[in-house]
Amino acid sequence: MSTESGIVKFAILGTARIATKVGKAIHTVEGAELELIASRRLRNAQAWQAEHGANNAVEGYESALSHPDVQAVYIPLPPSMHKEWTIKAAEAGKHVLCEKPPALNSAEVEEMLAACRANGVQFIDGTMWSHTPRAQDMKAILTGGQLGKLRRVVSAFSIQMPDTPEQHRYIAELGGGALYDIGWYCVRAALWAFDSVPTHVFASATYHRGVDNNATAIMWFEDNRTATFDCGYDLTRRKWLEVVGESGNLVCDDFLSPWDLTKQRFWTHDNQGVATEHQSQSVVQEASMIESMVNIIRTKELNTYWPQIALDNQRVIDALILAAKEGVKVEVK
Amino acid sequence: MSTESGIVKFAILGTARIATKVGKAIHTVEGAELELIASRRLRNAQAWQAEHGANNAVEGYESALSHPDVQAVYIPLPPSMHKEWTIKAAEAGKHVLCEKPPALNSAEVEEMLAACRANGVQFIDGTMWSHTPRAQDMKAILTGGQLGKLRRVVSAFSIQMPDTPEQHRYIAELGGGALYDIGWYCVRAALWAFDSVPTHVFASATYHRGVDNNATAIMWFEDNRTATFDCGYDLTRRKWLEVVGESGNLVCDDFLSPWDLTKQRFWTHDNQGVATEHQSQSVVQEASMIESMVNIIRTKELNTYWPQIALDNQRVIDALILAAKEGVKVEVK
């Protein structure tokens, strides 16, 4: 067994573009190995293997799950397929790294997490930035008290996403939509900063081909805390975060992936606007996420933070999608 | 008459703290002179005159309005007194520079503007930043097309405002409240950036002594444009603005008053996050506002932009206050 050698062997289910980045990261992480790439068609898997490297290329995701040496799978499939393949992976005894959103709604996520628990495997969703040293450095400041009581989180994630036929993000049945896909990160930032789940949310969205392509959201947390964000497929690229306390704030202008890998920065400002620049270790965030999984598997102690925050994140997204459709403030279930 | 000498003589009605800044600015503007300071009590006016300088100190605001050489008045009184003294000033033939909010609601503002029109005098509200070279420089970029179609404005204005007995901002009857007072600037930024008035708004607020002390707002404009902001008296000092286009954005981290007078900056970013820093002429924004008034009076041509945007700004504030109270999306009347 690979655990004996200390090497954690991964399989990737599908050759989506994001799989390439994560595959490359697996190659760089000490203690991780890319055992196989699986695709519905063998020649796609083989082409990927030839280009990006993997010990094996197999046809069909089932083949990946039945491979005895594979300990963890990375699932970059469209959201509509996450539940099925997460549960199958868990039942095959594989730890699961699943792209976000983990599913189409929180009921699905609960089923997935139950399967993981029942089979003693870890679940982590693909919110890469939250695994980085920079996220840890920012969190240390947020909890350190220098900003005073944290009361507000403001964030934005927008990109220009052309509507092309192969783009699952514009296909409702596959789990498309800006809230699911990129609003996800803004919700995570608020959950992470406040260590709390909002009680109520409001959202407003515009729609394209039946999926939300731009949204504005407000989230109310207990103890007089509020978060707002906007996300969209139709604006210039933005990916910033502000966490606001009673006596200072923290700003990161690229929280969900650094503009420049060599400058993984953020800033704090005091009440007079005096800025302090903080620079964190330069890492590839896909590798940070893989390291998290490797460490959990090596220590053989399942982590409860990652599945819980994945579920909470999905619960909030569910509420936001409903709020946007209804145009009213809704409770987070 | 002072017009013959080309010098515009101002009177200030009241010795509020903001009067000091504007008084100093009047002293620095070529073509402006501070003819008198008026206070309800003569000794307050005289003390102010001794400290800050003015040709005369008089008792009572009426005395200021009856002074034949005064051409323009600056009204830094609490919002609840703006309507009365703006109308009296207009009827006395004085141009009016009135602190924001211009009144308690847009019906009052309409009466005030009607009085100004009827008497051929200018009305300008105290949104100082909008008179600066930096505002002009930013506007040139916004209208120049390099950011693509402008679709979103995000801004924030928060401060720590202690609840002290003399603080009119916590007294509802005097026109207190964060939306009136500082949300005003965030609304203005959106009106200014989009050259448009929102059709609908949503707001959520917390209240202290019956006035909103923190608010979150969404404003929907025609043509798929949205603006959001937060304002509050209970957070660290923030005063930033982001205007977002389809291919770039503009960020100013101190749009409503520079952190550093010698660095009146803003930034634009392209779709890859590449920043360009822009530096504008260093000015004192109170002086920029006085210059606007002096120029209008000297050219003897009333400006219609300033009264209209003051009214529009108040209409939006009215809707936001209602939306916050009702907890629903409301139409801007």
Side-chain angles (χ1 to χ4, degrees):
Chain A
M1 282 291 288
S2 51
T3 41
E4 288 163 11
S5 69
I7 300 294
V8 174
K9 297 196 172 184
F10 284 82
I12 296 179
L13 306 194
T15 56
R17 189 188 304 174
I18 187 72
T20 306
K21 284 191 177 180
V22 173
K24 281 184 186 170
I26 292 171
H27 291 315
T28 69
V29 171
E30 194 189 322
E33 191 170 325
L34 183 51
E35 183 60 24
L36 65 83
I37 175 76
S39 181
R40 278 170 298 182
R41 286 187 290 188
L42 182 60
R43 62 186 171 88
N44 286 355
Q46 287 170 333
W48 195 97
Q49 179 190 28
E51 189 173 353
H52 306 295
N55 296 344
N56 298 285
V58 302
E59 179 172 292
Y61 309 137
E62 295 280 10
S63 311
L65 301 185
S66 61
H67 194 294
D69 286 351
V70 168
Q71 289 176 275
V73 296
Y74 171 60
I75 303 178
L77 302 169
S80 59
M81 300 174 72
H82 288 177
K83 176 184 151 187
E84 174 186 359
W85 290 101
T86 292
I87 291 175
K88 284 182 174 168
E91 289 172 350
K94 313 302 186 193
H95 300 282
V96 177
L97 194 54
C98 179
E99 258 315 315
K100 26 58 55 185
L104 299 182
N105 56 60
S106 57
E108 287 193 355
V109 178
E110 282 173 347
E111 283 186 70
M112 293 155 66
L113 298 185
C116 289
R117 278 194 305 272
N119 292 283
V121 298
Q122 181 67 42
F123 182 87
I124 300 179
D125 76 65
T127 310
M128 299 173 185
W129 70 265
S130 60
H131 295 268
T132 61
R134 182 167 68 172
Q136 291 172 30
D137 293 344
M138 291 195 290
K139 188 66 180 171
I141 285 173
L142 296 181
T143 55
Q146 75 179 73
L147 306 182
K149 181 170 156 45
L150 306 178
R151 296 274 310 285
R152 188 172 282 279
V153 174
V154 193
S155 65
F157 186 8
S158 60
I159 50 177
Q160 281 289 354
M161 173 82 73
D163 177 7
T164 52
E166 72 276 15
Q167 183 49 268
H168 79 260
R169 290 174 177 80
Y170 283 116
I171 302 173
E173 298 70 31
L174 297 183
L179 280 167
Y180 271 145
D181 178 36
I182 58 179
W184 176 269
Y185 294 102
C186 299
V187 170
R188 175 63 59 92
L191 302 184
W192 164 84
F194 285 153
D195 278 324
S196 183
V197 179
T199 59
H200 294 80
V201 302
F202 176 86
S204 167
T206 55
Y207 295 88
H208 175 76
R209 285 174 54 191
V211 306
D212 54 288
N213 67 335
N214 193 294
T216 307
I218 305 177
M219 302 181 278
W220 291 272
F221 294 75
E222 282 179 357
D223 211 12
N224 196 13
R225 295 175 297 175
T226 313
T228 56
F229 71 84
D230 72 85
C231 62
Y233 291 149
D234 54 355
L235 294 179
T236 190
R237 183 175 292 268
R238 299 144 67 225
K239 43 185 177 179
W240 56 259
L241 166 69
E242 182 194 29
V243 183
V244 187
E246 293 184 347
S247 55
N249 74 346
L250 180 153
V251 173
C252 183
D253 72 340
D254 54 4
F255 78 104
L256 56 87
S257 63
W259 293 111
D260 178 344
L261 281 179
T262 68
K263 290 182 183 166
Q264 309 210 357
R265 297 179 299 180
F266 63 97
W267 291 264
T268 48
H269 303 86
D270 69 12
N271 196 38
Q272 295 308 309
V274 177
T276 302
E277 183 178 321
H278 305 260
Q279 186 148 344
S280 296
Q281 186 190 342
S282 287
V283 297
V284 172
Q285 63 181 6
E286 290 81 1
S288 296
M289 181 176 69
I290 295 297
E291 284 168 4
S292 283
M293 183 60 101
V294 166
N295 289 337
I296 289 166
I297 294 174
R298 281 178 155 181
T299 60
K300 299 182 181 173
E301 196 166 320
L302 296 184
N303 173 300
T304 57
Y305 174 83
W306 298 117
Q308 184 62 48
I309 202 162
L311 175 60
D312 290 340
N313 208 147
Q314 186 86 47
R315 288 166 58 211
V316 177
I317 293 288
D318 287 0
L320 287 166
I321 287 172
L322 178 63
K325 279 185 185 148
E326 306 282 334
V328 295
K329 186 170 174 174
V330 307
E331 192 179 349
V332 177
K333 301 288 184 190
Chain B
M1 283 291 288
S2 52
T3 41
E4 288 163 11
S5 69
I7 300 295
V8 174
K9 297 196 172 184
F10 284 81
I12 296 179
L13 306 194
T15 57
R17 189 189 303 173
I18 187 72
T20 306
K21 284 191 178 180
V22 173
K24 280 184 186 170
I26 292 171
H27 291 315
T28 69
V29 172
E30 193 189 322
E33 191 171 325
L34 183 51
E35 182 60 24
L36 65 82
I37 175 77
S39 182
R40 279 171 297 183
R41 285 188 291 188
L42 182 60
R43 62 186 171 88
N44 285 355
Q46 287 170 332
W48 195 97
Q49 179 190 28
E51 189 173 354
H52 306 296
N55 296 344
N56 298 285
V58 302
E59 179 172 293
Y61 309 137
E62 295 280 10
S63 310
L65 301 186
S66 61
H67 193 294
D69 286 351
V70 167
Q71 288 176 275
V73 296
Y74 171 60
I75 304 179
L77 302 169
S80 59
M81 300 174 72
H82 288 177
K83 177 185 151 186
E84 174 186 0
W85 290 101
T86 291
I87 291 175
K88 284 182 175 168
E91 289 173 349
K94 313 303 186 193
H95 300 282
V96 177
L97 194 54
C98 179
E99 258 315 315
K100 26 59 54 185
L104 299 183
N105 56 60
S106 57
E108 287 193 355
V109 178
E110 282 174 347
E111 282 185 70
M112 293 155 66
L113 298 185
C116 289
R117 278 194 304 272
N119 291 283
V121 298
Q122 180 67 41
F123 181 87
I124 299 179
D125 76 64
T127 310
M128 299 174 185
W129 70 265
S130 59
H131 296 268
T132 61
R134 182 167 68 172
Q136 291 172 30
D137 293 345
M138 291 195 290
K139 188 66 179 169
I141 285 174
L142 296 182
T143 55
Q146 74 178 75
L147 307 182
K149 181 169 156 46
L150 305 178
R151 297 273 310 285
R152 188 172 282 278
V153 174
V154 193
S155 64
F157 186 8
S158 59
I159 50 176
Q160 281 288 354
M161 173 82 73
D163 177 7
T164 52
E166 72 275 16
Q167 183 49 268
H168 79 260
R169 290 174 177 80
Y170 283 117
I171 303 173
E173 298 70 31
L174 297 182
L179 280 167
Y180 271 145
D181 178 37
I182 59 179
W184 176 269
Y185 294 101
C186 299
V187 170
R188 175 63 60 92
L191 302 185
W192 164 84
F194 286 153
D195 278 325
S196 183
V197 179
T199 59
H200 294 80
V201 302
F202 176 85
S204 166
T206 55
Y207 296 88
H208 175 76
R209 286 175 54 192
V211 306
D212 54 288
N213 67 334
N214 193 294
T216 307
I218 305 178
M219 301 181 278
W220 291 272
F221 294 75
E222 282 178 357
D223 211 13
N224 195 12
R225 295 174 297 175
T226 313
T228 56
F229 71 85
D230 73 84
C231 62
Y233 290 149
D234 54 355
L235 293 179
T236 191
R237 183 175 291 269
R238 299 144 67 226
K239 43 186 178 179
W240 56 259
L241 166 69
E242 182 194 29
V243 183
V244 188
E246 293 184 347
S247 55
N249 74 346
L250 179 152
V251 172
C252 183
D253 72 340
D254 54 4
F255 78 104
L256 56 86
S257 63
W259 293 112
D260 178 345
L261 281 179
T262 68
K263 290 182 183 167
Q264 308 210 357
R265 298 180 298 180
F266 63 97
W267 290 264
T268 49
H269 303 87
D270 69 12
N271 196 38
Q272 295 308 310
V274 177
T276 303
E277 182 178 322
H278 305 260
Q279 186 148 343
S280 297
Q281 186 190 342
S282 287
V283 296
V284 172
Q285 64 181 6
E286 290 81 0
S288 296
M289 180 176 70
I290 295 297
E291 284 168 3
S292 282
M293 182 60 101
V294 166
N295 290 337
I296 289 166
I297 294 173
R298 282 179 155 180
T299 60
K300 299 181 182 172
E301 197 166 318
L302 296 185
N303 173 300
T304 57
Y305 174 83
W306 298 116
Q308 184 63 48
I309 202 163
L311 175 60
D312 290 341
N313 208 147
Q314 186 86 48
R315 289 166 59 211
V316 177
I317 293 287
D318 287 0
L320 287 166
I321 287 172
L322 178 63
K325 279 185 185 148
E326 306 282 334
V328 296
K329 186 170 173 174
V330 307
E331 192 180 349
V332 176
K333 301 288 184 188

mmCIF file of all heavy atoms in Angstrom, chain A residues 176-204:
data_model
loop_
_atom_site.group_PDB
_atom_site.id
_atom_site.type_symbol
_atom_site.label_atom_id
_atom_site.label_comp_id
_atom_site.label_asym_id
_atom_site.label_seq_id
_atom_site.Cartn_x
_atom_site.Cartn_y
_atom_site.Cartn_z
ATOM 1 N N GLY A 176 -24.354 25.442 -13.519
ATOM 2 C CA GLY A 176 -23.745 26.710 -13.906
ATOM 3 C C GLY A 176 -24.263 27.869 -13.077
ATOM 4 O O GLY A 176 -25.221 27.729 -12.313
ATOM 5 N N GLY A 177 -23.624 29.024 -13.259
ATOM 6 C CA GLY A 177 -24.068 30.228 -12.562
ATOM 7 C C GLY A 177 -22.959 30.866 -11.761
ATOM 8 O O GLY A 177 -22.100 30.185 -11.205
ATOM 9 N N ALA A 178 -22.997 32.198 -11.710
ATOM 10 C CA ALA A 178 -21.928 32.948 -11.044
ATOM 11 C C ALA A 178 -21.937 32.754 -9.529
ATOM 12 O O ALA A 178 -20.878 32.704 -8.905
ATOM 13 C CB ALA A 178 -22.049 34.436 -11.386
ATOM 14 N N LEU A 179 -23.115 32.654 -8.927
ATOM 15 C CA LEU A 179 -23.140 32.466 -7.470
ATOM 16 C C LEU A 179 -22.482 31.142 -7.092
ATOM 17 O O LEU A 179 -21.615 31.090 -6.218
ATOM 18 C CB LEU A 179 -24.575 32.529 -6.941
ATOM 19 C CG LEU A 179 -25.148 33.941 -6.770
ATOM 20 C CD1 LEU A 179 -26.656 33.901 -6.561
ATOM 21 C CD2 LEU A 179 -24.479 34.671 -5.603
ATOM 22 N N TYR A 180 -22.907 30.060 -7.736
ATOM 23 C CA TYR A 180 -22.297 28.741 -7.506
ATOM 24 C C TYR A 180 -20.780 28.783 -7.693
ATOM 25 O O TYR A 180 -20.009 28.244 -6.914
ATOM 26 C CB TYR A 180 -22.808 27.746 -8.550
ATOM 27 C CG TYR A 180 -24.059 26.969 -8.234
ATOM 28 C CD1 TYR A 180 -24.951 26.654 -9.265
ATOM 29 C CD2 TYR A 180 -24.341 26.502 -6.958
ATOM 30 C CE1 TYR A 180 -26.099 25.909 -9.024
ATOM 31 C CE2 TYR A 180 -25.492 25.761 -6.717
ATOM 32 C CZ TYR A 180 -26.366 25.463 -7.742
ATOM 33 O OH TYR A 180 -27.492 24.728 -7.519
ATOM 34 N N ASP A 181 -20.388 29.395 -8.770
ATOM 35 C CA ASP A 181 -19.024 29.233 -9.256
ATOM 36 C C ASP A 181 -18.044 30.208 -8.623
ATOM 37 O O ASP A 181 -16.985 29.811 -8.120
ATOM 38 C CB ASP A 181 -19.043 29.429 -10.775
ATOM 39 C CG ASP A 181 -17.669 29.323 -11.404
ATOM 40 O OD1 ASP A 181 -16.872 28.498 -10.932
ATOM 41 O OD2 ASP A 181 -17.405 30.070 -12.361
ATOM 42 N N ILE A 182 -18.386 31.504 -8.621
ATOM 43 C CA ILE A 182 -17.417 32.488 -8.143
ATOM 44 C C ILE A 182 -17.924 33.249 -6.922
ATOM 45 O O ILE A 182 -17.139 33.648 -6.073
ATOM 46 C CB ILE A 182 -16.962 33.433 -9.279
ATOM 47 C CG1 ILE A 182 -18.126 34.182 -9.910
ATOM 48 C CG2 ILE A 182 -16.211 32.643 -10.338
ATOM 49 C CD1 ILE A 182 -17.699 35.144 -11.019
ATOM 50 N N GLY A 183 -19.254 33.405 -6.817
ATOM 51 C CA GLY A 183 -19.799 33.939 -5.566
ATOM 52 C C GLY A 183 -19.392 33.032 -4.407
ATOM 53 O O GLY A 183 -19.230 33.479 -3.267
ATOM 54 N N TRP A 184 -19.225 31.756 -4.718
ATOM 55 C CA TRP A 184 -18.764 30.769 -3.730
ATOM 56 C C TRP A 184 -17.586 31.283 -2.907
ATOM 57 O O TRP A 184 -17.549 31.159 -1.686
ATOM 58 C CB TRP A 184 -18.373 29.483 -4.469
ATOM 59 C CG TRP A 184 -17.807 28.434 -3.572
ATOM 60 C CD1 TRP A 184 -16.490 28.239 -3.247
ATOM 61 C CD2 TRP A 184 -18.545 27.443 -2.853
ATOM 62 N NE1 TRP A 184 -16.364 27.193 -2.382
ATOM 63 C CE2 TRP A 184 -17.608 26.677 -2.120
ATOM 64 C CE3 TRP A 184 -19.905 27.127 -2.761
ATOM 65 C CZ2 TRP A 184 -17.995 25.617 -1.307
ATOM 66 C CZ3 TRP A 184 -20.286 26.066 -1.954
ATOM 67 C CH2 TRP A 184 -19.342 25.331 -1.237
ATOM 68 N N TYR A 185 -16.608 31.861 -3.598
ATOM 69 C CA TYR A 185 -15.387 32.315 -2.922
ATOM 70 C C TYR A 185 -15.655 33.500 -2.003
ATOM 71 O O TYR A 185 -15.036 33.644 -0.954
ATOM 72 C CB TYR A 185 -14.337 32.739 -3.953
ATOM 73 C CG TYR A 185 -13.827 31.618 -4.812
ATOM 74 C CD1 TYR A 185 -14.277 31.441 -6.112
ATOM 75 C CD2 TYR A 185 -12.872 30.738 -4.323
ATOM 76 C CE1 TYR A 185 -13.793 30.421 -6.908
ATOM 77 C CE2 TYR A 185 -12.381 29.708 -5.115
ATOM 78 C CZ TYR A 185 -12.848 29.556 -6.411
ATOM 79 O OH TYR A 185 -12.368 28.541 -7.188
ATOM 80 N N CYS A 186 -16.563 34.365 -2.444
ATOM 81 C CA CYS A 186 -16.875 35.550 -1.637
ATOM 82 C C CYS A 186 -17.622 35.134 -0.370
ATOM 83 O O CYS A 186 -17.389 35.671 0.708
ATOM 84 C CB CYS A 186 -17.700 36.532 -2.468
ATOM 85 S SG CYS A 186 -16.834 37.128 -3.939
ATOM 86 N N VAL A 187 -18.520 34.164 -0.526
ATOM 87 C CA VAL A 187 -19.207 33.624 0.656
ATOM 88 C C VAL A 187 -18.175 33.016 1.601
ATOM 89 O O VAL A 187 -18.184 33.270 2.811
ATOM 90 C CB VAL A 187 -20.253 32.566 0.248
ATOM 91 C CG1 VAL A 187 -20.789 31.841 1.476
ATOM 92 C CG2 VAL A 187 -21.389 33.223 -0.538
ATOM 93 N N ARG A 188 -17.249 32.237 1.032
ATOM 94 C CA ARG A 188 -16.243 31.584 1.870
ATOM 95 C C ARG A 188 -15.427 32.607 2.662
ATOM 96 O O ARG A 188 -15.115 32.395 3.836
ATOM 97 C CB ARG A 188 -15.305 30.724 1.017
ATOM 98 C CG ARG A 188 -14.142 30.081 1.797
ATOM 99 C CD ARG A 188 -14.609 29.092 2.863
ATOM 100 N NE ARG A 188 -15.370 28.015 2.316
ATOM 101 C CZ ARG A 188 -14.866 26.837 1.919
ATOM 102 N NH1 ARG A 188 -13.585 26.587 2.046
ATOM 103 N NH2 ARG A 188 -15.661 25.911 1.418
ATOM 104 N N ALA A 189 -15.097 33.708 1.986
ATOM 105 C CA ALA A 189 -14.290 34.729 2.662
ATOM 106 C C ALA A 189 -15.005 35.244 3.910
ATOM 107 O O ALA A 189 -14.380 35.459 4.954
ATOM 108 C CB ALA A 189 -13.999 35.883 1.701
ATOM 109 N N ALA A 190 -16.314 35.413 3.807
ATOM 110 C CA ALA A 190 -17.070 35.923 4.958
ATOM 111 C C ALA A 190 -17.168 34.869 6.057
ATOM 112 O O ALA A 190 -16.989 35.169 7.242
ATOM 113 C CB ALA A 190 -18.456 36.381 4.510
ATOM 114 N N LEU A 191 -17.442 33.616 5.682
ATOM 115 C CA LEU A 191 -17.521 32.540 6.681
ATOM 116 C C LEU A 191 -16.188 32.412 7.410
ATOM 117 O O LEU A 191 -16.129 32.236 8.627
ATOM 118 C CB LEU A 191 -17.847 31.197 6.012
ATOM 119 C CG LEU A 191 -19.127 31.083 5.186
ATOM 120 C CD1 LEU A 191 -19.321 29.646 4.704
ATOM 121 C CD2 LEU A 191 -20.339 31.536 5.975
ATOM 122 N N TRP A 192 -15.140 32.489 6.623
ATOM 123 C CA TRP A 192 -13.775 32.347 7.138
ATOM 124 C C TRP A 192 -13.396 33.519 8.052
ATOM 125 O O TRP A 192 -12.845 33.323 9.136
ATOM 126 C CB TRP A 192 -12.846 32.258 5.925
ATOM 127 C CG TRP A 192 -11.388 32.468 6.139
ATOM 128 C CD1 TRP A 192 -10.475 31.540 6.549
ATOM 129 C CD2 TRP A 192 -10.657 33.679 5.909
ATOM 130 N NE1 TRP A 192 -9.223 32.101 6.588
ATOM 131 C CE2 TRP A 192 -9.308 33.403 6.202
ATOM 132 C CE3 TRP A 192 -11.009 34.954 5.478
ATOM 133 C CZ2 TRP A 192 -8.306 34.371 6.087
ATOM 134 C CZ3 TRP A 192 -10.023 35.917 5.360
ATOM 135 C CH2 TRP A 192 -8.690 35.617 5.665
ATOM 136 N N ALA A 193 -13.717 34.731 7.623
ATOM 137 C CA ALA A 193 -13.321 35.907 8.410
ATOM 138 C C ALA A 193 -14.101 35.977 9.720
ATOM 139 O O ALA A 193 -13.544 36.319 10.762
ATOM 140 C CB ALA A 193 -13.543 37.184 7.599
ATOM 141 N N PHE A 194 -15.389 35.668 9.652
ATOM 142 C CA PHE A 194 -16.241 35.797 10.842
ATOM 143 C C PHE A 194 -16.306 34.507 11.661
ATOM 144 O O PHE A 194 -16.838 34.522 12.767
ATOM 145 C CB PHE A 194 -17.663 36.181 10.430
ATOM 146 C CG PHE A 194 -17.841 37.613 10.000
ATOM 147 C CD1 PHE A 194 -18.858 37.962 9.109
ATOM 148 C CD2 PHE A 194 -17.029 38.622 10.500
ATOM 149 C CE1 PHE A 194 -19.057 39.282 8.726
ATOM 150 C CE2 PHE A 194 -17.218 39.950 10.117
ATOM 151 C CZ PHE A 194 -18.234 40.273 9.229
ATOM 152 N N ASP A 195 -15.844 33.395 11.109
ATOM 153 C CA ASP A 195 -16.021 32.095 11.768
ATOM 154 C C ASP A 195 -17.475 31.894 12.149
ATOM 155 O O ASP A 195 -17.806 31.517 13.282
ATOM 156 C CB ASP A 195 -15.140 31.979 13.024
ATOM 157 C CG ASP A 195 -13.719 31.578 12.674
ATOM 158 O OD1 ASP A 195 -13.541 30.786 11.732
ATOM 159 O OD2 ASP A 195 -12.790 32.068 13.341
ATOM 160 N N SER A 196 -18.335 32.160 11.195
ATOM 161 C CA SER A 196 -19.762 32.132 11.486
ATOM 162 C C SER A 196 -20.535 31.990 10.172
ATOM 163 O O SER A 196 -19.989 32.229 9.096
ATOM 164 C CB SER A 196 -20.128 33.443 12.192
ATOM 165 O OG SER A 196 -21.476 33.468 12.562
ATOM 166 N N VAL A 197 -21.789 31.599 10.293
ATOM 167 C CA VAL A 197 -22.663 31.441 9.129
ATOM 168 C C VAL A 197 -23.738 32.519 9.214
ATOM 169 O O VAL A 197 -24.280 32.759 10.294
ATOM 170 C CB VAL A 197 -23.313 30.038 9.125
ATOM 171 C CG1 VAL A 197 -24.252 29.865 7.934
ATOM 172 C CG2 VAL A 197 -22.235 28.961 9.117
ATOM 173 N N PRO A 198 -24.058 33.195 8.112
ATOM 174 C CA PRO A 198 -25.089 34.233 8.198
ATOM 175 C C PRO A 198 -26.443 33.642 8.557
ATOM 176 O O PRO A 198 -26.744 32.494 8.221
ATOM 177 C CB PRO A 198 -25.111 34.838 6.793
ATOM 178 C CG PRO A 198 -24.503 33.817 5.904
ATOM 179 C CD PRO A 198 -23.524 33.057 6.755
ATOM 180 N N THR A 199 -27.246 34.449 9.215
ATOM 181 C CA THR A 199 -28.600 34.002 9.542
ATOM 182 C C THR A 199 -29.553 34.285 8.387
ATOM 183 O O THR A 199 -30.494 33.538 8.160
ATOM 184 C CB THR A 199 -29.121 34.720 10.793
ATOM 185 O OG1 THR A 199 -29.114 36.132 10.546
ATOM 186 C CG2 THR A 199 -28.241 34.409 12.002
ATOM 187 N N HIS A 200 -29.305 35.391 7.665
ATOM 188 C CA HIS A 200 -30.167 35.791 6.560
ATOM 189 C C HIS A 200 -29.319 36.339 5.422
ATOM 190 O O HIS A 200 -28.212 36.826 5.661
ATOM 191 C CB HIS A 200 -31.152 36.885 6.996
ATOM 192 C CG HIS A 200 -32.149 36.420 8.002
ATOM 193 N ND1 HIS A 200 -31.840 36.303 9.340
ATOM 194 C CD2 HIS A 200 -33.440 36.021 7.868
ATOM 195 C CE1 HIS A 200 -32.903 35.852 9.991
ATOM 196 N NE2 HIS A 200 -33.885 35.676 9.132
ATOM 197 N N VAL A 201 -29.884 36.277 4.230
ATOM 198 C CA VAL A 201 -29.189 36.851 3.071
ATOM 199 C C VAL A 201 -30.203 37.545 2.162
ATOM 200 O O VAL A 201 -31.399 37.254 2.192
ATOM 201 C CB VAL A 201 -28.433 35.780 2.244
ATOM 202 C CG1 VAL A 201 -27.422 35.032 3.101
ATOM 203 C CG2 VAL A 201 -29.399 34.814 1.576
ATOM 204 N N PHE A 202 -29.675 38.447 1.354
ATOM 205 C CA PHE A 202 -30.446 39.075 0.277
ATOM 206 C C PHE A 202 -29.562 39.027 -0.953
ATOM 207 O O PHE A 202 -28.342 39.150 -0.847
ATOM 208 C CB PHE A 202 -30.771 40.532 0.628
ATOM 209 C CG PHE A 202 -31.486 41.278 -0.470
ATOM 210 C CD1 PHE A 202 -32.871 41.212 -0.581
ATOM 211 C CD2 PHE A 202 -30.780 42.038 -1.399
ATOM 212 C CE1 PHE A 202 -33.538 41.895 -1.595
ATOM 213 C CE2 PHE A 202 -31.441 42.723 -2.415
ATOM 214 C CZ PHE A 202 -32.819 42.647 -2.506
ATOM 215 N N ALA A 203 -30.161 38.834 -2.110
ATOM 216 C CA ALA A 203 -29.365 38.860 -3.336
ATOM 217 C C ALA A 203 -30.212 39.357 -4.489
ATOM 218 O O ALA A 203 -31.444 39.285 -4.468
ATOM 219 C CB ALA A 203 -28.808 37.475 -3.653
ATOM 220 N N SER A 204 -29.527 39.875 -5.456
ATOM 221 C CA SER A 204 -30.150 40.347 -6.686
ATOM 222 C C SER A 204 -29.261 39.864 -7.815
ATOM 223 O O SER A 204 -28.037 39.929 -7.703
ATOM 224 C CB SER A 204 -30.185 41.874 -6.648
ATOM 225 O OG SER A 204 -30.491 42.399 -7.915
#
